[in-house]
Amino acid sequence: MGEENHTQTASNGEVVSESNVKYYTIEEIKLHNMSKDTWLIIHDKVYDITSFLEEHPGGEEVLLEQAGADATESFEDVGHSTDAREMLEQYLIGELHMDDRKQESKTDVFNSTSGGESSVWTMWLVPALAAVVVGLMYRYYTLEHQSS
Ligand code: HEM
């Protein structure tokens, strides 16, 4: 009891959890949509890229178009390099609030091995089917021997 990961909601809507990850609501993120204060959401993480605007090889315009919003799709569409993905980390300020995440990303968070479920099924289903087939063959042959 009392050991759960409590979250506290501050007056400005920010939610701080015990794991020290800061969660921002979409409402709060939307406010940071100008060139002197630019936040972006990429894969449910929140980045303050104000100081990166001028450095971006793809130009600041494309970043400003997405400012205060989810840029995951455009970021992925460009096919950014691993270097670009690593660069992201230095601008990380928190994560998107759970309530504002899309359904599929919610499952990502709670099931970090997403897709693992289906492999567990195949892992068990294949041997189970093989066992059934072997069982049926065994029955078939023993019955055949009995009748002859
Ligand atoms: C903070 C997030 C971002 C970082 C750290 C970042 C970083 C980079 C880097 C390092 C490159 C050079 C090529 C590479 O290494 O892949 C690049 C290129 C590019 N980026 Fe981004 N990027 C970000 C967000 C975005 C977004 C949201 C868009 C689109 C709306 C975008 C559009 C582009 C384009 C079009 C290029 C190609 C430029 C060219 O080759 O002429 N980037 N970005």
Side-chain angles (χ1 to χ4, degrees), residues 112-145:
S112 51
T113 53
S114 59
E117 216 172 300
S118 64
S119 62
V120 167
W121 269 105
T122 35
M123 211 170 80
W124 287 104
L125 213 63
V126 171
L129 278 174
V132 170
V133 170
V134 170
L136 284 173
M137 279 168 73
Y138 179 74
R139 246 182 97 106
Y140 175 77
Y141 283 115
T142 37
L143 283 176
E144 199 155 75
H145 278 281

mmCIF file of all heavy atoms in Angstrom, residues 112-145:
data_model
loop_
_atom_site.group_PDB
_atom_site.id
_atom_site.type_symbol
_atom_site.label_atom_id
_atom_site.label_comp_id
_atom_site.label_asym_id
_atom_site.label_seq_id
_atom_site.Cartn_x
_atom_site.Cartn_y
_atom_site.Cartn_z
ATOM 1 N N SER A 112 6.073 -3.226 -23.492
ATOM 2 C CA SER A 112 7.271 -2.781 -24.190
ATOM 3 C C SER A 112 7.720 -3.794 -25.233
ATOM 4 O O SER A 112 8.417 -3.464 -26.166
ATOM 5 C CB SER A 112 8.391 -2.507 -23.201
ATOM 6 O OG SER A 112 8.538 -3.622 -22.371
ATOM 7 N N THR A 113 7.285 -5.049 -25.078
ATOM 8 C CA THR A 113 7.628 -6.039 -26.092
ATOM 9 C C THR A 113 6.427 -6.233 -27.007
ATOM 10 O O THR A 113 5.918 -7.327 -27.135
ATOM 11 C CB THR A 113 8.007 -7.385 -25.457
ATOM 12 O OG1 THR A 113 6.936 -7.742 -24.576
ATOM 13 C CG2 THR A 113 9.312 -7.323 -24.714
ATOM 14 N N SER A 114 5.945 -5.107 -27.576
ATOM 15 C CA SER A 114 4.768 -5.210 -28.431
ATOM 16 C C SER A 114 5.112 -6.079 -29.633
ATOM 17 O O SER A 114 6.190 -5.961 -30.214
ATOM 18 C CB SER A 114 4.285 -3.839 -28.884
ATOM 19 O OG SER A 114 5.303 -3.197 -29.591
ATOM 20 N N GLY A 115 4.185 -6.935 -29.981
ATOM 21 C CA GLY A 115 4.469 -7.887 -31.045
ATOM 22 C C GLY A 115 4.968 -9.191 -30.444
ATOM 23 O O GLY A 115 4.946 -10.223 -31.075
ATOM 24 N N GLY A 116 5.395 -9.125 -29.193
ATOM 25 C CA GLY A 116 5.877 -10.316 -28.507
ATOM 26 C C GLY A 116 4.761 -11.303 -28.266
ATOM 27 O O GLY A 116 4.974 -12.509 -28.242
ATOM 28 N N GLU A 117 3.546 -10.745 -28.111
ATOM 29 C CA GLU A 117 2.401 -11.601 -27.836
ATOM 30 C C GLU A 117 2.194 -12.638 -28.941
ATOM 31 O O GLU A 117 1.947 -13.793 -28.661
ATOM 32 C CB GLU A 117 1.167 -10.716 -27.716
ATOM 33 C CG GLU A 117 0.191 -11.217 -26.680
ATOM 34 C CD GLU A 117 -0.912 -10.212 -26.469
ATOM 35 O OE1 GLU A 117 -0.595 -9.073 -26.083
ATOM 36 O OE2 GLU A 117 -2.056 -10.549 -26.729
ATOM 37 N N SER A 118 2.296 -12.176 -30.186
ATOM 38 C CA SER A 118 2.038 -13.099 -31.288
ATOM 39 C C SER A 118 3.136 -14.152 -31.375
ATOM 40 O O SER A 118 2.881 -15.294 -31.722
ATOM 41 C CB SER A 118 1.919 -12.340 -32.597
ATOM 42 O OG SER A 118 3.137 -11.735 -32.894
ATOM 43 N N SER A 119 4.374 -13.783 -31.039
ATOM 44 C CA SER A 119 5.440 -14.771 -31.123
ATOM 45 C C SER A 119 5.291 -15.818 -30.024
ATOM 46 O O SER A 119 5.669 -16.960 -30.207
ATOM 47 C CB SER A 119 6.812 -14.103 -31.070
ATOM 48 O OG SER A 119 6.973 -13.453 -29.855
ATOM 49 N N VAL A 120 4.708 -15.421 -28.878
ATOM 50 C CA VAL A 120 4.452 -16.398 -27.812
ATOM 51 C C VAL A 120 3.438 -17.420 -28.320
ATOM 52 O O VAL A 120 3.577 -18.612 -28.111
ATOM 53 C CB VAL A 120 3.919 -15.698 -26.543
ATOM 54 C CG1 VAL A 120 3.361 -16.690 -25.555
ATOM 55 C CG2 VAL A 120 5.023 -14.881 -25.889
ATOM 56 N N TRP A 121 2.421 -16.884 -29.064
ATOM 57 C CA TRP A 121 1.400 -17.770 -29.620
ATOM 58 C C TRP A 121 2.010 -18.781 -30.576
ATOM 59 O O TRP A 121 1.752 -19.970 -30.465
ATOM 60 C CB TRP A 121 0.327 -16.957 -30.352
ATOM 61 C CG TRP A 121 -0.776 -16.599 -29.417
ATOM 62 C CD1 TRP A 121 -1.012 -15.387 -28.851
ATOM 63 C CD2 TRP A 121 -1.786 -17.497 -28.922
ATOM 64 N NE1 TRP A 121 -2.099 -15.471 -28.041
ATOM 65 C CE2 TRP A 121 -2.596 -16.752 -28.056
ATOM 66 C CE3 TRP A 121 -2.069 -18.848 -29.132
ATOM 67 C CZ2 TRP A 121 -3.670 -17.298 -27.407
ATOM 68 C CZ3 TRP A 121 -3.154 -19.400 -28.473
ATOM 69 C CH2 TRP A 121 -3.940 -18.626 -27.618
ATOM 70 N N THR A 122 2.834 -18.286 -31.487
ATOM 71 C CA THR A 122 3.419 -19.223 -32.459
ATOM 72 C C THR A 122 4.366 -20.176 -31.756
ATOM 73 O O THR A 122 4.465 -21.338 -32.122
ATOM 74 C CB THR A 122 4.154 -18.476 -33.582
ATOM 75 O OG1 THR A 122 4.761 -17.327 -33.043
ATOM 76 C CG2 THR A 122 3.234 -18.081 -34.697
ATOM 77 N N MET A 123 5.014 -19.674 -30.705
ATOM 78 C CA MET A 123 5.956 -20.501 -29.968
ATOM 79 C C MET A 123 5.248 -21.724 -29.374
ATOM 80 O O MET A 123 5.805 -22.799 -29.298
ATOM 81 C CB MET A 123 6.572 -19.679 -28.844
ATOM 82 C CG MET A 123 7.973 -20.066 -28.485
ATOM 83 S SD MET A 123 8.632 -18.841 -27.391
ATOM 84 C CE MET A 123 7.909 -19.322 -25.848
ATOM 85 N N TRP A 124 3.988 -21.522 -28.913
ATOM 86 C CA TRP A 124 3.238 -22.621 -28.297
ATOM 87 C C TRP A 124 2.369 -23.361 -29.293
ATOM 88 O O TRP A 124 2.143 -24.554 -29.166
ATOM 89 C CB TRP A 124 2.377 -22.071 -27.150
ATOM 90 C CG TRP A 124 3.224 -21.723 -25.982
ATOM 91 C CD1 TRP A 124 3.601 -20.469 -25.588
ATOM 92 C CD2 TRP A 124 3.853 -22.629 -25.075
ATOM 93 N NE1 TRP A 124 4.417 -20.539 -24.503
ATOM 94 C CE2 TRP A 124 4.592 -21.857 -24.153
ATOM 95 C CE3 TRP A 124 3.873 -24.022 -24.949
ATOM 96 C CZ2 TRP A 124 5.321 -22.420 -23.138
ATOM 97 C CZ3 TRP A 124 4.609 -24.583 -23.915
ATOM 98 C CH2 TRP A 124 5.326 -23.780 -23.026
ATOM 99 N N LEU A 125 1.855 -22.587 -30.265
ATOM 100 C CA LEU A 125 0.900 -23.171 -31.201
ATOM 101 C C LEU A 125 1.558 -24.217 -32.096
ATOM 102 O O LEU A 125 0.999 -25.289 -32.329
ATOM 103 C CB LEU A 125 0.296 -22.048 -32.059
ATOM 104 C CG LEU A 125 -1.149 -22.269 -32.463
ATOM 105 C CD1 LEU A 125 -2.035 -22.318 -31.234
ATOM 106 C CD2 LEU A 125 -1.608 -21.140 -33.383
ATOM 107 N N VAL A 126 2.749 -23.936 -32.568
ATOM 108 C CA VAL A 126 3.430 -24.859 -33.477
ATOM 109 C C VAL A 126 3.717 -26.203 -32.788
ATOM 110 O O VAL A 126 3.314 -27.258 -33.293
ATOM 111 C CB VAL A 126 4.701 -24.212 -34.077
ATOM 112 C CG1 VAL A 126 5.513 -25.227 -34.847
ATOM 113 C CG2 VAL A 126 4.319 -23.034 -34.958
ATOM 114 N N PRO A 127 4.358 -26.222 -31.599
ATOM 115 C CA PRO A 127 4.582 -27.519 -30.942
ATOM 116 C C PRO A 127 3.270 -28.209 -30.579
ATOM 117 O O PRO A 127 3.168 -29.437 -30.664
ATOM 118 C CB PRO A 127 5.354 -27.154 -29.671
ATOM 119 C CG PRO A 127 5.834 -25.773 -29.861
ATOM 120 C CD PRO A 127 4.951 -25.110 -30.852
ATOM 121 N N ALA A 128 2.247 -27.418 -30.188
ATOM 122 C CA ALA A 128 0.963 -28.025 -29.816
ATOM 123 C C ALA A 128 0.356 -28.732 -31.022
ATOM 124 O O ALA A 128 -0.137 -29.863 -30.912
ATOM 125 C CB ALA A 128 0.020 -26.951 -29.284
ATOM 126 N N LEU A 129 0.385 -28.077 -32.174
ATOM 127 C CA LEU A 129 -0.157 -28.681 -33.393
ATOM 128 C C LEU A 129 0.640 -29.928 -33.775
ATOM 129 O O LEU A 129 0.071 -30.943 -34.152
ATOM 130 C CB LEU A 129 -0.132 -27.682 -34.545
ATOM 131 C CG LEU A 129 -1.293 -26.687 -34.568
ATOM 132 C CD1 LEU A 129 -1.079 -25.652 -35.657
ATOM 133 C CD2 LEU A 129 -2.618 -27.419 -34.790
ATOM 134 N N ALA A 130 1.963 -29.831 -33.633
ATOM 135 C CA ALA A 130 2.824 -30.969 -33.953
ATOM 136 C C ALA A 130 2.464 -32.143 -33.051
ATOM 137 O O ALA A 130 2.372 -33.295 -33.505
ATOM 138 C CB ALA A 130 4.287 -30.584 -33.773
ATOM 139 N N ALA A 131 2.205 -31.863 -31.759
ATOM 140 C CA ALA A 131 1.855 -32.912 -30.802
ATOM 141 C C ALA A 131 0.535 -33.569 -31.200
ATOM 142 O O ALA A 131 0.390 -34.802 -31.136
ATOM 143 C CB ALA A 131 1.760 -32.324 -29.389
ATOM 144 N N VAL A 132 -0.423 -32.759 -31.626
ATOM 145 C CA VAL A 132 -1.724 -33.297 -32.042
ATOM 146 C C VAL A 132 -1.554 -34.213 -33.257
ATOM 147 O O VAL A 132 -2.104 -35.325 -33.304
ATOM 148 C CB VAL A 132 -2.716 -32.142 -32.354
ATOM 149 C CG1 VAL A 132 -3.973 -32.670 -33.021
ATOM 150 C CG2 VAL A 132 -3.069 -31.394 -31.077
ATOM 151 N N VAL A 133 -0.773 -33.742 -34.216
ATOM 152 C CA VAL A 133 -0.553 -34.537 -35.425
ATOM 153 C C VAL A 133 0.116 -35.870 -35.074
ATOM 154 O O VAL A 133 -0.322 -36.949 -35.514
ATOM 155 C CB VAL A 133 0.300 -33.740 -36.453
ATOM 156 C CG1 VAL A 133 0.734 -34.636 -37.593
ATOM 157 C CG2 VAL A 133 -0.493 -32.544 -36.968
ATOM 158 N N VAL A 134 1.150 -35.813 -34.232
ATOM 159 C CA VAL A 134 1.854 -37.038 -33.836
ATOM 160 C C VAL A 134 0.885 -37.970 -33.103
ATOM 161 O O VAL A 134 0.838 -39.188 -33.355
ATOM 162 C CB VAL A 134 3.088 -36.700 -32.957
ATOM 163 C CG1 VAL A 134 3.675 -37.954 -32.332
ATOM 164 C CG2 VAL A 134 4.132 -35.969 -33.786
ATOM 165 N N GLY A 135 0.051 -37.394 -32.212
ATOM 166 C CA GLY A 135 -0.949 -38.169 -31.470
ATOM 167 C C GLY A 135 -1.907 -38.876 -32.410
ATOM 168 O O GLY A 135 -2.205 -40.079 -32.245
ATOM 169 N N LEU A 136 -2.400 -38.153 -33.415
ATOM 170 C CA LEU A 136 -3.351 -38.723 -34.375
ATOM 171 C C LEU A 136 -2.708 -39.842 -35.184
ATOM 172 O O LEU A 136 -3.315 -40.886 -35.428
ATOM 173 C CB LEU A 136 -3.869 -37.622 -35.313
ATOM 174 C CG LEU A 136 -4.915 -36.673 -34.694
ATOM 175 C CD1 LEU A 136 -5.224 -35.527 -35.647
ATOM 176 C CD2 LEU A 136 -6.201 -37.425 -34.338
ATOM 177 N N MET A 137 -1.436 -39.610 -35.573
ATOM 178 C CA MET A 137 -0.732 -40.620 -36.357
ATOM 179 C C MET A 137 -0.553 -41.885 -35.527
ATOM 180 O O MET A 137 -0.748 -43.004 -36.004
ATOM 181 C CB MET A 137 0.633 -40.081 -36.803
ATOM 182 C CG MET A 137 0.540 -39.192 -38.038
ATOM 183 S SD MET A 137 2.055 -38.320 -38.326
ATOM 184 C CE MET A 137 3.083 -39.642 -38.906
ATOM 185 N N TYR A 138 -0.211 -41.678 -34.263
ATOM 186 C CA TYR A 138 0.008 -42.809 -33.355
ATOM 187 C C TYR A 138 -1.276 -43.630 -33.235
ATOM 188 O O TYR A 138 -1.272 -44.851 -33.357
ATOM 189 C CB TYR A 138 0.440 -42.274 -31.985
ATOM 190 C CG TYR A 138 0.663 -43.342 -30.958
ATOM 191 C CD1 TYR A 138 1.799 -44.147 -31.010
ATOM 192 C CD2 TYR A 138 -0.284 -43.557 -29.948
ATOM 193 C CE1 TYR A 138 2.002 -45.140 -30.069
ATOM 194 C CE2 TYR A 138 -0.091 -44.549 -28.997
ATOM 195 C CZ TYR A 138 1.047 -45.346 -29.063
ATOM 196 O OH TYR A 138 1.245 -46.316 -28.136
ATOM 197 N N ARG A 139 -2.393 -42.897 -33.024
ATOM 198 C CA ARG A 139 -3.706 -43.557 -32.920
ATOM 199 C C ARG A 139 -4.029 -44.320 -34.183
ATOM 200 O O ARG A 139 -4.472 -45.467 -34.147
ATOM 201 C CB ARG A 139 -4.768 -42.479 -32.698
ATOM 202 C CG ARG A 139 -5.443 -42.560 -31.339
ATOM 203 C CD ARG A 139 -6.488 -41.478 -31.270
ATOM 204 N NE ARG A 139 -7.792 -42.048 -31.600
ATOM 205 C CZ ARG A 139 -8.728 -42.289 -30.696
ATOM 206 N NH1 ARG A 139 -8.493 -42.008 -29.440
ATOM 207 N NH2 ARG A 139 -9.887 -42.807 -31.046
ATOM 208 N N TYR A 140 -3.798 -43.677 -35.298
ATOM 209 C CA TYR A 140 -4.111 -44.262 -36.603
ATOM 210 C C TYR A 140 -3.343 -45.580 -36.783
ATOM 211 O O TYR A 140 -3.903 -46.599 -37.143
ATOM 212 C CB TYR A 140 -3.753 -43.259 -37.687
ATOM 213 C CG TYR A 140 -3.923 -43.778 -39.096
ATOM 214 C CD1 TYR A 140 -5.194 -43.861 -39.663
ATOM 215 C CD2 TYR A 140 -2.816 -44.175 -39.847
ATOM 216 C CE1 TYR A 140 -5.350 -44.338 -40.946
ATOM 217 C CE2 TYR A 140 -2.971 -44.649 -41.138
ATOM 218 C CZ TYR A 140 -4.238 -44.726 -41.687
ATOM 219 O OH TYR A 140 -4.391 -45.183 -42.957
ATOM 220 N N TYR A 141 -2.051 -45.554 -36.456
ATOM 221 C CA TYR A 141 -1.230 -46.743 -36.657
ATOM 222 C C TYR A 141 -1.585 -47.847 -35.669
ATOM 223 O O TYR A 141 -1.645 -49.016 -36.029
ATOM 224 C CB TYR A 141 0.259 -46.387 -36.590
ATOM 225 C CG TYR A 141 0.706 -45.726 -37.869
ATOM 226 C CD1 TYR A 141 1.142 -44.410 -37.884
ATOM 227 C CD2 TYR A 141 0.673 -46.430 -39.079
ATOM 228 C CE1 TYR A 141 1.531 -43.796 -39.063
ATOM 229 C CE2 TYR A 141 1.058 -45.817 -40.263
ATOM 230 C CZ TYR A 141 1.493 -44.503 -40.244
ATOM 231 O OH TYR A 141 1.869 -43.913 -41.399
ATOM 232 N N THR A 142 -1.848 -47.500 -34.381
ATOM 233 C CA THR A 142 -2.194 -48.539 -33.410
ATOM 234 C C THR A 142 -3.522 -49.177 -33.775
ATOM 235 O O THR A 142 -3.694 -50.383 -33.667
ATOM 236 C CB THR A 142 -2.254 -48.001 -31.956
ATOM 237 O OG1 THR A 142 -2.800 -46.705 -31.998
ATOM 238 C CG2 THR A 142 -0.887 -47.961 -31.308
ATOM 239 N N LEU A 143 -4.500 -48.350 -34.235
ATOM 240 C CA LEU A 143 -5.801 -48.899 -34.629
ATOM 241 C C LEU A 143 -5.634 -49.823 -35.824
ATOM 242 O O LEU A 143 -6.244 -50.885 -35.887
ATOM 243 C CB LEU A 143 -6.775 -47.765 -34.980
ATOM 244 C CG LEU A 143 -7.377 -47.010 -33.790
ATOM 245 C CD1 LEU A 143 -8.245 -45.870 -34.263
ATOM 246 C CD2 LEU A 143 -8.181 -47.957 -32.897
ATOM 247 N N GLU A 144 -4.787 -49.433 -36.752
ATOM 248 C CA GLU A 144 -4.573 -50.230 -37.950
ATOM 249 C C GLU A 144 -3.973 -51.597 -37.590
ATOM 250 O O GLU A 144 -4.351 -52.615 -38.130
ATOM 251 C CB GLU A 144 -3.640 -49.479 -38.895
ATOM 252 C CG GLU A 144 -3.746 -50.004 -40.308
ATOM 253 C CD GLU A 144 -3.339 -48.958 -41.299
ATOM 254 O OE1 GLU A 144 -2.125 -48.734 -41.387
ATOM 255 O OE2 GLU A 144 -4.225 -48.372 -41.944
ATOM 256 N N HIS A 145 -3.031 -51.571 -36.607
ATOM 257 C CA HIS A 145 -2.388 -52.810 -36.185
ATOM 258 C C HIS A 145 -3.368 -53.729 -35.488
ATOM 259 O O HIS A 145 -3.337 -54.937 -35.658
ATOM 260 C CB HIS A 145 -1.208 -52.507 -35.260
ATOM 261 C CG HIS A 145 0.010 -52.140 -36.057
ATOM 262 N ND1 HIS A 145 0.796 -53.076 -36.675
ATOM 263 C CD2 HIS A 145 0.554 -50.939 -36.337
ATOM 264 C CE1 HIS A 145 1.766 -52.455 -37.325
ATOM 265 N NE2 HIS A 145 1.635 -51.153 -37.133
#
